[in-house]
Structure formats: structure tokens, C-alpha cells
């Protein structure tokens, strides 16, 4: 199933701050959101034969910050 990949900066306090995201295509013909999904898939059968939702987002830490995050700085 397709999912979102969220690129984050990790702050010294341990919290992550999202910077960008992108959709990762699973390549399955049975996933509604995949580019490989069968264009002839019938609307009546698609909900019972194909994935109808994205998988859980996956966090990728792409940078670090020596500062605490905005939430921790305000407390």
C-alpha cells in the first residue's frame, strides 16, 4: 500500500519538525492510489478488491538542530 514519507529535522529535545513529504508508490495493481492501479478496475468492485487507504506515514530524519523545538522553547 502506498504511504507518505515525511522528511523531518530532529531537535535536541528529541522532537521532530516536518520539512517536506512525498508519496511513495507501492506499485501494486490492487492499490487505489498506485500508478499501477488497473485503470479498468470497476467502481463497484474496487472497494472490496483494492486497498482504499494509505499506509502509515514513515518519518525520515534528514537533519538535526542544536535548538529545542518551538513547543519546548515556549514551556
Amino acid at each position: 500500500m502506498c504511504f507518505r514519507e515525511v522528511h523531518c529535522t530532529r531537535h535536541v529535545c528529541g522532537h521532530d519538525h516536518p520539512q517536506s513529504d512525498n508519496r511513495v508508490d507501492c506499485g501494486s495493481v490492487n492499490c487505489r492510489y498506485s500508478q499501477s492501479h488497473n485503470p479498468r478496475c470497476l467502481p463497484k468492485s474496487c472497494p472490496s478488491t483494492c486497498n482504499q487507504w494509505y499506509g502509515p506515514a514513515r518519518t525520515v530524519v534528514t537533519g538535526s538542530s542544536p535548538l529545542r523545538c518551538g513547543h519546548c522553547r515556549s514551556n
Side-chain angles (χ1 to χ4, degrees), residues 16-31:
D16 295 337
H17 182 91
Q19 300 296 318
S20 65
D21 72 325
N22 62 299
R23 187 177 68 87
V24 177
D25 192 322
C26 66
S28 172
V29 295
N30 294 323
C31 179

Side-chain angles (χ1 to χ4, degrees), residues 26-72:
C26 66
S28 172
V29 295
N30 294 323
C31 179
R32 174 183 172 184
Y33 298 105
S34 174
Q35 291 293 320
S36 300
H37 186 241
N38 183 352
R40 294 187 187 108
C41 189
L42 300 173
K44 278 188 167 182
S45 63
C46 188
S48 62
T49 59
C50 300
N51 289 329
Q52 299 294 309
W53 52 86
Y54 281 98
R58 298 182 189 171
T59 300
V60 177
V61 177
T62 56
S64 60
S65 171
L67 305 173
R68 295 186 301 156
C69 72
H71 177 75
C72 289

Side-chain angles (χ1 to χ4, degrees), residues 3-20:
F3 63 92
R4 281 180 45 243
E5 187 175 76
V6 182
H7 300 180
C8 297
T9 297
R10 179 152 297 153
H11 292 271
V12 71
C13 57
H15 294 122
D16 295 337
H17 182 91
Q19 300 296 318
S20 65

